[in-house]
């Protein structure tokens, strides 16, 4: 047996590093790649903050000290602080298998209630008129369907029904599926885009690179599905990239940053001071439906909200001014 063989055997006997264990557990529970990156980052920062001590040797005081540091010195938002806490609780519960009482007593930072930024219909039209190409089509879909940004980016060919004018949103927030409408006026443009997309798919197929990522274990259950037309992303990147988990080189969906940048330029060109982003189109979708008289429960289902109270935040725009009250200054004039 050569020395190299001895070292290789020893390496195989070594338990995986802590961060690798976190990654493995996240993938076992089907967490998204984005959540995986964020959780691993927070665990790493937590360990470095406490001088590279092992989390097994730490507990509630160290977690609270880290979260306090983020809030006081890092001045992070409540949502960011809560994400860090979620990552650490995942580490202790799922990876280290700790069931200590303090884990149930950790209090999450209270997120301030803020009203969403909403564009008027005239403002939406002004922004869309300053966009073009695939990013225009994406923005129109966001406003016309109420989808979230990544739901739109991950849209697949099979999930659009032109006959019924429906879009099936798969694996949305909370892992739920829902149905929303496909705007009739947008159908021709989307069909034209799919003609171009199918030609690109045929080229990829001929080159042996038509493979696409399938969620969960569908690639094992349906071995040929990953190269079928129906599973292809509608909006794709210009080139190929390496899947960070499997190492497979494939064409991924379009990077959402391209839409975010294009939308920001359009808002600036329109001269609006509102801090609008692509997600603002989802807020505007809900608001304009309520203004048109649609039932709030219907809007709730289209948005995929678990609780109607989440949808009720959009009702603030149904009244003009301060809750529909006339200002005394207007009475003088």
């Amino acid at each position: 047996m050569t020395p190299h063989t001895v070292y290789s055997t020893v390496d195989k006997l070594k338990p995986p590093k802590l961060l690798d264990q976190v990654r493995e557990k996240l993938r076992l529970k089907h967490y998204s790649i984005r959540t995986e990156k964020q959780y691993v980052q927070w665990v790493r920062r937590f360990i470095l903050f406490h001088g590279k001590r092992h989390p097994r040797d730490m507990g509630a005081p160290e977690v609270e000290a880290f979260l306090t540091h983020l809030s006081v010195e890092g001045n992070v938002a409540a949502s960011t602080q809560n994400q860090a806490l979620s990552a650490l609780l995942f580490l202790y519960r799922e990876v280290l298998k700790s069931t200590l009482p303090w884990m149930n007593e950790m209090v999450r930072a209270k997120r301030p209630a803020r009203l969403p930024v909403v564009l008027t219909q005239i403002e939406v039209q002004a922004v869309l008129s300053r966009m073009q190409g695939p990013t225009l089509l994406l923005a129109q879909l966001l406003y016309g369907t109420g989808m979230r940004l990544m739901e739109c980016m991950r849209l697949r060919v099979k999930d659009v029904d032109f006959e019924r004018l429906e879009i099936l949103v798969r694996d949305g927030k909370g892992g739920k599926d829902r149905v929303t409408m496909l705007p009739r006026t947008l159908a021709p443009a989307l069909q034209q885009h799919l003609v171009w997309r199918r030609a690109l798919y045929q080229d990829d197929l001929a080159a042996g690179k038509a493979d696409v990522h399938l969620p969960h274990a569908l690639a094992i259950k349906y071995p040929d599905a990953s190269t079928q037309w129906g599973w292809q992303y509608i909006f794709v990147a210009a080139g190929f990239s390496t899947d960070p988990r499997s190492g497979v080189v494939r064409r991924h969906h379009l990077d959402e940053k391209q839409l975010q940048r294009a939308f920001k330029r359009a808002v600036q060109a329109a001269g609006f001071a509102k801090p609008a982003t692509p997600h603002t189109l989802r807020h505007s979708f809900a608001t304009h439906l309520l203004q048109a008289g649609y039932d709030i429960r219907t809007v709730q289902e289209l948005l995929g909200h678990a609780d109607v109270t989440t949808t009720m935040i959009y009702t603030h725009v149904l009244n003009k001014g301060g809750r529909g009250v006339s200002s005394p200054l207007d009475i003088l004039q």
Side-chain angles (χ1 to χ4, degrees):
M1 182 179 291
T2 64
H4 176 73
T5 306
V6 173
Y7 289 132
S8 299
T9 305
V10 172
D11 289 340
K12 289 180 181 179
L13 295 177
K14 288 182 180 179
K17 295 181 180 180
L18 181 61
L19 293 182
D20 290 333
Q21 293 180 46
V22 174
R23 291 189 185 95
E24 289 176 5
K25 184 62 69 171
L26 286 164
R27 294 176 188 182
L28 181 64
K29 291 186 170 291
H30 303 298
Y31 280 69
S32 70
I33 185 67
R34 294 167 181 271
T35 303
E36 176 185 318
K37 289 180 179 179
Q38 291 299 321
Y39 274 30
V40 170
Q41 177 211 164
W42 284 122
V43 172
R44 180 186 288 112
R45 289 181 61 175
F46 174 65
I47 294 172
L48 292 176
F49 178 77
H50 288 292
K52 297 185 178 180
R53 291 170 58 193
H54 197 285
R56 190 177 289 108
D57 301 324
M58 298 187 281
E62 288 80 8
V63 172
E64 290 178 351
F66 178 63
L67 297 177
T68 301
H69 165 75
L70 292 177
S71 177
V72 177
E73 298 184 32
N75 197 28
V76 301
S79 58
T80 303
Q81 190 177 1
N82 287 334
Q83 185 188 64
L85 175 58
S86 296
L88 297 180
L89 291 179
F90 182 90
L91 168 68
Y92 279 96
R93 286 175 178 153
E94 303 295 340
V95 180
L96 300 180
K97 301 299 181 182
S98 297
T99 54
L100 302 176
W102 64 264
M103 295 173 60
N104 297 322
E105 298 172 0
M106 299 299 294
V107 179
R108 295 182 180 275
K110 186 176 180 180
R111 299 179 63 176
R114 301 190 185 280
L115 296 177
V117 175
V118 176
L119 297 175
T120 66
Q121 290 176 314
I122 295 177
E123 289 172 335
V124 170
Q125 181 59 44
V127 173
L128 295 180
S129 67
R130 288 166 172 79
M131 301 179 70
Q132 59 184 353
T135 54
L136 168 60
L137 186 54
L138 279 163
Q140 290 173 320
L141 272 172
L142 290 178
Y143 176 63
T145 66
M147 285 190 290
R148 298 179 178 89
L149 176 59
M150 294 312 300
E151 290 173 345
C152 198
M153 289 294 178
R154 294 170 180 154
L155 201 60
R156 299 180 191 254
V157 174
K158 66 180 182 60
D159 296 327
V160 179
D161 189 331
F162 287 99
E163 185 175 345
R164 295 175 57 88
L165 291 177
E166 288 181 349
I167 293 178
L168 180 56
V169 181
R170 295 281 190 182
D171 200 21
K173 192 173 183 179
K176 297 177 295 184
D177 295 350
R178 72 179 190 279
V179 175
T180 187
M181 79 283 281
L182 169 63
R184 187 181 302 276
T185 55
L186 198 59
L190 186 56
Q191 287 175 319
Q192 184 177 0
H193 173 80
L194 285 175
V195 171
W196 168 85
R197 177 66 185 93
R198 180 138 200 170
L200 180 63
Y201 161 73
Q202 294 293 349
D203 291 342
D204 290 346
L205 194 62
K209 292 186 176 181
D211 180 79
V212 68
H213 168 74
L214 296 184
H216 310 315
L218 287 177
I220 299 175
K221 187 175 182 181
Y222 305 111
D224 299 328
S226 63
T227 57
Q228 292 176 359
W229 166 238
W231 281 98
Q232 300 297 309
Y233 290 118
I234 293 179
F235 301 97
V236 290
F240 299 96
S241 57
T242 303
D243 190 309
R245 288 181 171 178
S246 65
V248 177
V249 178
R250 54 164 62 106
R251 193 183 296 277
H252 201 44
H253 62 68
L254 190 68
D255 189 341
E256 70 276 10
K257 291 184 179 63
Q258 292 192 34
L259 174 57
Q260 291 169 335
R261 292 171 185 144
F263 191 83
K264 182 178 181 179
R265 289 194 297 267
V267 171
Q268 292 174 340
F272 299 142
K274 293 181 179 179
T277 66
H279 194 69
T280 304
L281 295 174
R282 174 175 162 89
H283 295 321
S284 303
F285 164 85
T287 301
H288 297 164
L289 284 183
L290 290 173
Q291 286 177 325
Y294 287 96
D295 181 76
I296 193 169
R297 293 286 183 180
T298 300
V299 178
Q300 175 195 355
E301 291 180 5
L302 290 172
L303 292 174
H305 287 162
D307 195 330
V308 72
T309 56
T310 306
T311 317
M312 288 179 66
I313 194 171
Y314 299 112
T315 61
H316 77 282
V317 298
L318 300 182
N319 302 313
K320 293 183 179 179
R323 300 186 179 276
V325 179
S326 297
S327 169
L329 180 62
D330 293 331
I331 300 175
L332 298 179
Q333 298 178 7

